[in-house]
Amino acid sequence: MVPEAEVRDVLDELQRLRARVPLLSGALAASTDGLVLAHDTPGVEAEGVAALTAAALGVSIRMTDATGRGGFRELLVRGGSGYIATYAAGSSAVLTLLAEDRINVGRLHLEGRRAGARIGELVDTALERTGRHDTAAPPRPAAAPGRTLPQRPT
């Protein structure tokens, strides 16, 4: 899917993000199909989170489409002890962040959006360079840089 050098760059970005935002307890980059690209998620099963992210992404895309809100950009879920935030990362990936309940949500969004844009650039560039866009699913139309994910086929 994504060459090893770019996977390492994505992991480095996740680790820098966790260092900048101390109340993040995990960070994961995944394909829109739910395959893990890189993760820094101590104590959390990355494959399960990636699969659930893909399921939530599918619902989110349908919701934004059904309500005329444009393409998917981000999703925030608040649980009893923290947040799960998912951000579009280019046209083929998503960034999911796990955060403690005490986090400043504005800062979470600011850092998550920036990291999502950087990861999206890394992944999209790698896929363009290798001539593959998403080998696990049929090709999808590319989104404008830093904008939205493509619509999933229904």
Side-chain angles (χ1 to χ4, degrees), residues 74-149:
E74 58 195 45
L75 171 68
L76 180 68
V77 176
R78 183 176 184 197
S81 59
Y83 295 89
I84 303 109
T86 299
Y87 301 92
S91 63
S92 300
V94 291
L95 169 65
T96 296
L97 303 177
L98 309 175
E100 294 178 23
D101 193 46
R102 300 173 297 135
I103 197 162
N104 176 314
V105 176
R107 173 114 190 261
L108 175 66
H109 284 318
L110 177 70
E111 296 288 351
R113 290 168 185 154
R114 286 178 179 170
R118 285 190 291 272
I119 290 168
E121 289 172 10
L122 289 168
V123 172
D124 287 349
T125 300
L127 292 174
E128 287 171 11
R129 190 174 61 247
T130 61
R132 300 178 284 183
H133 206 58
D134 191 351
T135 58
R140 297 181 180 142
R147 295 287 177 193
T148 60
L149 292 171

Coordinates of all heavy atoms in Angstrom, one line a residue, residues 74-149:
E74 N -14.1 15.8 9.6 CA -13.7 15.4 11.0 C -14.9 14.8 11.7 O -16.0 15.2 11.4 CB -13.0 16.5 11.8 CG -13.8 17.7 12.0 CD -13.0 18.9 12.5 OE1 -11.9 19.1 11.9 OE2 -13.5 19.5 13.4
L75 N -14.6 14.0 12.8 CA -15.6 13.5 13.6 C -15.1 13.5 15.0 O -13.9 13.1 15.3 CB -15.9 12.0 13.2 CG -16.7 11.1 14.1 CD1 -18.2 11.6 14.1 CD2 -16.7 9.7 13.6
L76 N -15.9 13.9 16.0 CA -15.5 13.9 17.4 C -16.5 13.1 18.2 O -17.7 13.4 18.1 CB -15.5 15.4 17.9 CG -15.0 15.5 19.4 CD1 -13.6 15.1 19.6 CD2 -15.2 17.0 19.8
V77 N -16.0 12.2 19.0 CA -16.9 11.4 19.9 C -16.3 11.6 21.3 O -15.1 11.5 21.5 CB -16.8 9.9 19.5 CG1 -17.6 9.0 20.5 CG2 -17.2 9.6 18.1
R78 N -17.3 11.9 22.2 CA -16.9 12.0 23.6 C -17.4 10.9 24.4 O -18.6 10.6 24.4 CB -17.4 13.3 24.1 CG -16.9 13.6 25.6 CD -17.3 14.9 26.1 NE -16.7 15.1 27.4 CZ -17.2 16.0 28.3 NH1 -18.1 16.8 27.9 NH2 -16.6 16.1 29.5
G79 N -16.6 10.2 25.1 CA -17.0 9.1 26.0 C -16.9 9.6 27.4 O -16.5 10.8 27.7
G80 N -17.2 8.7 28.4 CA -17.1 9.1 29.8 C -15.7 9.5 30.3 O -15.6 10.2 31.3
S81 N -14.7 9.0 29.6 CA -13.3 9.3 30.1 C -12.4 9.9 29.0 O -11.2 9.8 29.1 CB -12.7 8.1 30.8 OG -12.6 7.1 29.8
G82 N -13.0 10.4 28.0 CA -12.1 11.0 26.9 C -12.8 11.1 25.6 O -14.0 10.9 25.4
Y83 N -11.9 11.5 24.6 CA -12.4 11.8 23.3 C -11.7 10.9 22.3 O -10.6 10.4 22.4 CB -12.0 13.2 22.9 CG -12.7 14.3 23.7 CD1 -12.2 14.8 24.9 CD2 -13.9 14.8 23.3 CE1 -12.8 15.7 25.6 CE2 -14.6 15.8 24.0 CZ -14.0 16.3 25.2 OH -14.6 17.2 25.9
I84 N -12.5 10.6 21.2 CA -11.9 10.0 20.0 C -12.2 11.0 18.8 O -13.3 11.4 18.6 CB -12.6 8.7 19.6 CG1 -12.4 7.7 20.8 CG2 -11.9 8.1 18.4 CD1 -13.7 7.5 21.5
A85 N -11.2 11.5 18.2 CA -11.3 12.4 17.1 C -10.7 11.8 15.8 O -9.6 11.3 15.9 CB -10.6 13.7 17.5
T86 N -11.4 11.9 14.7 CA -11.0 11.4 13.5 C -11.0 12.6 12.5 O -11.9 13.3 12.4 CB -11.9 10.3 13.0 OG1 -11.8 9.2 13.9 CG2 -11.4 9.7 11.6
Y87 N -9.9 12.7 11.7 CA -9.7 13.8 10.8 C -9.3 13.2 9.4 O -8.6 12.2 9.3 CB -8.5 14.7 11.2 CG -8.8 15.3 12.6 CD1 -8.3 14.7 13.7 CD2 -9.5 16.5 12.7 CE1 -8.6 15.2 15.0 CE2 -9.8 17.0 13.9 CZ -9.3 16.4 15.1 OH -9.6 16.9 16.3
A88 N -9.9 13.8 8.3 CA -9.5 13.4 7.0 C -8.0 13.7 6.8 O -7.4 14.7 7.4 CB -10.2 14.3 6.0
A89 N -7.3 12.8 6.2 CA -5.8 12.9 5.9 C -5.6 12.6 4.5 O -5.3 11.5 4.1 CB -5.0 11.9 6.8
G90 N -5.8 13.6 3.6 CA -5.7 13.5 2.2 C -6.9 12.7 1.7 O -7.9 12.7 2.3
S91 N -6.7 12.1 0.5 CA -7.8 11.4 -0.2 C -7.9 9.9 0.2 O -8.9 9.3 -0.2 CB -7.6 11.6 -1.7 OG -6.5 11.0 -2.1
S92 N -6.9 9.4 0.9 CA -6.9 7.9 1.1 C -6.7 7.5 2.5 O -6.6 6.3 2.8 CB -5.8 7.3 0.2 OG -6.0 7.5 -1.1
A93 N -6.6 8.4 3.4 CA -6.3 8.1 4.8 C -7.0 8.9 5.8 O -7.6 10.0 5.4 CB -4.8 8.2 5.0
V94 N -7.0 8.5 7.0 CA -7.6 9.2 8.2 C -6.7 9.1 9.3 O -5.9 8.2 9.5 CB -9.0 8.6 8.6 CG1 -10.1 8.9 7.5 CG2 -9.0 7.2 8.9
L95 N -6.8 10.1 10.2 CA -6.0 10.2 11.4 C -7.0 10.1 12.6 O -8.0 10.9 12.6 CB -5.3 11.6 11.5 CG -4.7 11.9 12.8 CD1 -3.5 11.0 13.2 CD2 -4.1 13.4 12.8
T96 N -6.8 9.2 13.5 CA -7.7 9.0 14.7 C -6.8 9.3 15.9 O -5.7 8.7 16.1 CB -8.3 7.6 14.7 OG1 -9.2 7.5 13.6 CG2 -9.1 7.4 16.0
L97 N -7.3 10.2 16.8 CA -6.6 10.5 18.0 C -7.5 10.1 19.2 O -8.7 10.3 19.2 CB -6.4 12.0 18.0 CG -5.6 12.6 16.8 CD1 -5.5 14.1 17.0 CD2 -4.2 12.0 16.7
L98 N -6.8 9.6 20.2 CA -7.4 9.3 21.5 C -6.9 10.3 22.5 O -5.7 10.5 22.6 CB -7.0 7.8 21.9 CG -7.2 6.8 20.8 CD1 -6.7 5.4 21.3 CD2 -8.7 6.7 20.4
A99 N -7.8 10.9 23.2 CA -7.4 12.0 24.1 C -8.1 11.8 25.4 O -9.3 11.4 25.5 CB -7.8 13.4 23.5
E100 N -7.4 12.3 26.5 CA -8.0 12.3 27.8 C -9.1 13.3 27.9 O -9.1 14.3 27.2 CB -6.9 12.6 28.8 CG -5.9 11.4 28.9 CD -4.8 11.7 29.9 OE1 -5.0 12.5 30.8 OE2 -3.7 11.1 29.7
D101 N -10.0 13.2 28.9 CA -11.1 14.0 29.1 C -10.7 15.5 29.4 O -11.5 16.4 29.0 CB -12.0 13.5 30.2 CG -13.4 14.2 30.2 OD1 -14.0 14.3 29.2 OD2 -13.8 14.5 31.3
R102 N -9.6 15.7 29.9 CA -9.1 17.1 30.3 C -8.5 17.9 29.2 O -8.2 19.0 29.4 CB -8.1 17.0 31.5 CG -8.6 16.3 32.7 CD -7.5 16.1 33.7 NE -6.5 15.2 33.2 CZ -5.2 15.4 33.3 NH1 -4.7 16.4 33.9 NH2 -4.3 14.5 32.7
I103 N -8.5 17.3 28.0 CA -7.8 18.0 26.9 C -8.6 19.2 26.5 O -9.8 19.3 26.6 CB -7.6 17.0 25.7 CG1 -6.6 17.6 24.7 CG2 -8.9 16.8 25.0 CD1 -6.0 16.6 23.7
N104 N -7.9 20.2 26.0 CA -8.5 21.4 25.4 C -9.0 21.0 24.0 O -8.1 20.7 23.1 CB -7.5 22.5 25.3 CG -8.0 23.8 24.7 OD1 -8.6 23.7 23.6 ND2 -7.8 24.9 25.3
V105 N -10.3 20.9 23.7 CA -10.8 20.4 22.5 C -10.4 21.3 21.3 O -10.1 20.8 20.2 CB -12.3 20.2 22.5 CG1 -12.9 19.8 21.2 CG2 -12.7 19.2 23.6
G106 N -10.3 22.6 21.5 CA -9.8 23.5 20.5 C -8.4 23.1 20.0 O -8.1 23.1 18.9
R107 N -7.5 22.9 21.0 CA -6.1 22.5 20.7 C -6.1 21.1 20.0 O -5.3 20.9 19.1 CB -5.3 22.4 22.0 CG -3.9 21.9 21.8 CD -2.9 22.9 22.0 NE -1.5 22.5 21.6 CZ -0.6 22.0 22.4 NH1 -0.9 21.9 23.7 NH2 0.6 21.6 22.0
L108 N -7.0 20.2 20.5 CA -7.1 18.9 19.8 C -7.4 19.1 18.3 O -6.7 18.5 17.5 CB -8.1 18.1 20.5 CG -8.5 16.7 19.9 CD1 -7.3 15.8 20.0 CD2 -9.7 16.1 20.6
H109 N -8.4 19.9 18.0 CA -8.8 20.1 16.6 C -7.6 20.8 15.9 O -7.3 20.4 14.7 CB -10.0 21.0 16.5 CG -11.3 20.2 16.8 ND1 -11.5 18.9 16.4 CD2 -12.4 20.6 17.5 CE1 -12.7 18.5 16.8 NE2 -13.3 19.5 17.5
L110 N -7.0 21.8 16.4 CA -5.9 22.5 15.8 C -4.8 21.6 15.4 O -4.4 21.5 14.2 CB -5.4 23.7 16.6 CG -4.2 24.4 16.1 CD1 -4.6 25.3 14.9 CD2 -3.6 25.3 17.2
E111 N -4.3 20.8 16.4 CA -3.2 19.9 16.1 C -3.6 18.8 15.2 O -2.9 18.3 14.4 CB -2.6 19.4 17.4 CG -2.0 20.5 18.3 CD -0.7 21.0 17.8 OE1 -0.1 20.5 16.8 OE2 -0.2 22.0 18.4
G112 N -4.8 18.2 15.4 CA -5.3 17.1 14.6 C -5.5 17.5 13.1 O -5.1 16.7 12.3
R113 N -6.0 18.7 12.9 CA -6.2 19.1 11.5 C -4.8 19.3 10.8 O -4.6 18.9 9.7 CB -7.0 20.4 11.5 CG -8.4 20.2 11.8 CD -9.1 21.6 12.1 NE -10.5 21.4 12.5 CZ -11.1 22.3 13.3 NH1 -10.6 23.4 13.6 NH2 -12.3 22.0 13.7
R114 N -3.9 19.9 11.5 CA -2.5 20.1 11.0 C -1.9 18.8 10.7 O -1.3 18.6 9.6 CB -1.7 20.9 11.9 CG -2.1 22.4 11.9 CD -1.2 23.1 12.9 NE -1.6 24.6 13.0 CZ -1.1 25.4 13.9 NH1 -0.3 25.0 14.8 NH2 -1.5 26.7 13.9
A115 N -1.9 17.9 11.7 CA -1.3 16.6 11.5 C -1.9 15.8 10.4 O -1.3 15.1 9.6 CB -1.3 15.8 12.8
G116 N -3.3 15.9 10.3 CA -4.0 15.2 9.2 C -3.6 15.7 7.9 O -3.4 14.9 6.9
A117 N -3.4 17.0 7.7 CA -3.0 17.5 6.5 C -1.6 17.0 6.1 O -1.3 16.6 4.9 CB -3.0 19.1 6.5
R118 N -0.7 17.0 7.1 CA 0.7 16.5 6.8 C 0.7 15.1 6.4 O 1.4 14.6 5.5 CB 1.6 16.8 8.0 CG 2.0 18.3 8.1 CD 3.1 18.5 9.1 NE 2.7 18.3 10.5 CZ 2.1 19.2 11.3 NH1 1.9 20.4 10.8 NH2 1.8 18.9 12.5
I119 N 0.0 14.3 7.2 CA -0.1 12.8 6.9 C -0.7 12.6 5.5 O -0.3 11.7 4.8 CB -0.8 12.1 8.0 CG1 0.1 12.1 9.3 CG2 -1.2 10.7 7.6 CD1 -0.6 11.7 10.6
G120 N -1.8 13.3 5.2 CA -2.4 13.2 3.9 C -1.5 13.5 2.8 O -1.5 12.8 1.8
E121 N -0.6 14.5 2.9 CA 0.4 14.8 1.9 C 1.3 13.7 1.7 O 1.7 13.3 0.6 CB 1.1 16.1 2.2 CG 0.3 17.4 2.1 CD 1.0 18.6 2.6 OE1 2.2 18.5 2.9 OE2 0.3 19.6 2.8
L122 N 1.8 13.1 2.8 CA 2.8 12.0 2.8 C 2.2 10.8 2.1 O 2.8 10.2 1.2 CB 3.2 11.6 4.2 CG 4.1 12.6 5.0 CD1 4.2 12.2 6.4 CD2 5.5 12.6 4.3
V123 N 1.0 10.4 2.5 CA 0.3 9.2 1.9 C 0.0 9.4 0.5 O 0.3 8.6 -0.4 CB -0.9 8.8 2.8 CG1 -1.7 7.7 2.1 CG2 -0.5 8.4 4.2
D124 N -0.7 10.6 0.2 CA -1.1 10.8 -1.2 C 0.1 10.9 -2.2 O 0.1 10.3 -3.3 CB -1.9 12.1 -1.3 CG -3.3 11.9 -0.8 OD1 -3.7 10.7 -0.5 OD2 -4.0 12.9 -0.6
T125 N 1.2 11.5 -1.7 CA 2.4 11.6 -2.6 C 3.0 10.3 -2.8 O 3.4 9.9 -3.9 CB 3.4 12.6 -1.9 OG1 2.8 13.9 -1.8 CG2 4.7 12.7 -2.7
A126 N 3.1 9.5 -1.7 CA 3.6 8.1 -1.9 C 2.8 7.3 -2.8 O 3.3 6.5 -3.7 CB 3.7 7.4 -0.5
L127 N 1.5 7.3 -2.7 CA 0.6 6.5 -3.6 C 0.7 7.0 -5.0 O 0.7 6.2 -5.9 CB -0.8 6.6 -3.1 CG -1.1 5.9 -1.7 CD1 -2.5 6.1 -1.3 CD2 -0.7 4.4 -1.8
E128 N 0.8 8.3 -5.2 CA 0.9 8.8 -6.6 C 2.3 8.4 -7.2 O 2.3 8.0 -8.4 CB 0.8 10.4 -6.6 CG -0.5 10.9 -6.4 CD -0.6 12.4 -6.2 OE1 0.4 13.1 -6.4 OE2 -1.7 12.9 -5.7
R129 N 3.3 8.4 -6.4 CA 4.7 8.1 -6.9 C 4.7 6.6 -7.2 O 5.4 6.2 -8.2 CB 5.7 8.4 -5.8 CG 7.1 8.3 -6.4 CD 8.2 8.8 -5.4 NE 8.2 8.1 -4.1 CZ 7.8 8.5 -2.9 NH1 7.4 9.8 -2.8 NH2 7.8 7.8 -1.9
T130 N 4.1 5.7 -6.5 CA 4.1 4.3 -6.8 C 3.1 3.9 -7.8 O 3.1 2.7 -8.2 CB 3.9 3.5 -5.5 OG1 2.6 3.8 -5.0 CG2 4.9 3.8 -4.5
G131 N 2.2 4.8 -8.2 CA 1.2 4.5 -9.2 C 0.0 3.8 -8.7 O -0.8 3.3 -9.4
R132 N -0.1 3.7 -7.4 CA -1.2 3.0 -6.7 C -1.9 4.1 -5.9 O -1.3 4.9 -5.2 CB -0.7 1.9 -5.8 CG 0.0 0.8 -6.5 CD 0.5 -0.2 -5.6 NE 1.6 0.3 -4.8 CZ 2.3 -0.4 -3.9 NH1 1.9 -1.6 -3.6 NH2 3.3 0.1 -3.3
H133 N -3.2 4.0 -5.9 CA -3.9 4.9 -5.0 C -4.5 4.2 -3.8 O -4.5 4.7 -2.7 CB -4.9 5.7 -5.8 CG -5.2 7.1 -5.1 ND1 -4.2 8.0 -4.9 CD2 -6.3 7.6 -4.6 CE1 -4.7 9.0 -4.3 NE2 -6.0 8.8 -4.1
D134 N -5.1 3.1 -4.0 CA -5.6 2.3 -2.9 C -5.8 0.9 -3.4 O -6.8 0.6 -4.1 CB -6.9 2.9 -2.4 CG -7.4 2.2 -1.1 OD1 -6.7 1.2 -0.7 OD2 -8.3 2.7 -0.5
T135 N -4.9 0.0 -3.1 CA -4.9 -1.3 -3.7 C -6.0 -2.2 -3.0 O -6.3 -3.2 -3.6 CB -3.6 -2.0 -3.5 OG1 -3.2 -2.0 -2.1 CG2 -2.5 -1.3 -4.3
A136 N -6.5 -1.8 -1.9 CA -7.5 -2.6 -1.2 C -8.9 -2.4 -1.7 O -9.8 -3.1 -1.4 CB -7.5 -2.4 0.3
A137 N -9.1 -1.4 -2.5 CA -10.5 -1.0 -3.0 C -10.4 -0.4 -4.4 O -9.3 0.0 -4.8 CB -11.1 0.0 -2.0
P138 N -11.5 -0.4 -5.1 CA -11.5 0.3 -6.4 C -11.0 1.7 -6.3 O -11.2 2.3 -5.3 CB -12.9 0.2 -6.9 CG -13.6 -0.7 -6.0 CD -12.8 -0.8 -4.7
P139 N -10.4 2.2 -7.4 CA -9.9 3.6 -7.3 C -11.0 4.6 -7.0 O -12.1 4.4 -7.5 CB -9.3 3.8 -8.8 CG -9.1 2.5 -9.3 CD -10.1 1.6 -8.6
R140 N -10.7 5.6 -6.3 CA -11.6 6.7 -5.9 C -11.1 8.0 -6.5 O -9.9 8.2 -6.6 CB -11.7 6.8 -4.4 CG -12.2 5.5 -3.8 CD -12.4 5.7 -2.3 NE -12.9 4.5 -1.7 CZ -12.5 4.1 -0.6 NH1 -11.6 4.7 0.1 NH2 -13.0 2.9 -0.1
P141 N -12.0 8.9 -6.7 CA -11.6 10.2 -7.2 C -10.8 10.9 -6.1 O -11.1 10.8 -4.9 CB -12.9 11.0 -7.5 CG -13.9 10.2 -6.7 CD -13.5 8.8 -6.6
A142 N -9.7 11.6 -6.5 CA -8.9 12.3 -5.5 C -9.6 13.6 -5.0 O -10.3 14.2 -5.7 CB -7.6 12.7 -6.2
A143 N -9.4 13.9 -3.7 CA -10.0 15.1 -3.1 C -8.9 16.2 -3.3 O -7.8 16.0 -3.5 CB -10.2 14.9 -1.7
A144 N -9.4 17.5 -3.2 CA -8.5 18.6 -3.3 C -7.6 18.5 -2.0 O -8.1 18.1 -1.0 CB -9.3 19.9 -3.2
P145 N -6.4 18.9 -2.1 CA -5.4 18.8 -1.0 C -6.0 19.5 0.2 O -6.5 20.6 0.2 CB -4.2 19.5 -1.5 CG -4.3 19.5 -3.0 CD -5.8 19.5 -3.3
G146 N -5.9 18.7 1.4 CA -6.4 19.3 2.6 C -7.9 19.5 2.8 O -8.4 20.1 3.7
R147 N -8.6 18.9 1.8 CA -10.1 19.1 1.8 C -10.8 17.9 2.4 O -10.8 17.7 3.6 CB -10.6 19.4 0.4 CG -10.1 20.7 -0.1 CD -10.7 21.9 0.5 NE -10.1 23.1 0.0 CZ -10.3 24.2 0.5 NH1 -11.0 24.4 1.6 NH2 -9.7 25.3 0.0
T148 N -11.5 17.2 1.6 CA -12.3 16.1 2.1 C -12.0 14.8 1.5 O -11.3 14.7 0.5 CB -13.8 16.4 1.7 OG1 -13.9 16.5 0.3 CG2 -14.3 17.7 2.3
L149 N -12.5 13.7 2.1 CA -12.3 12.4 1.6 C -13.3 12.2 0.5 O -14.4 12.8 0.4 CB -12.5 11.3 2.7 CG -11.5 11.3 3.8 CD1 -12.0 10.4 4.9 CD2 -10.2 10.9 3.3

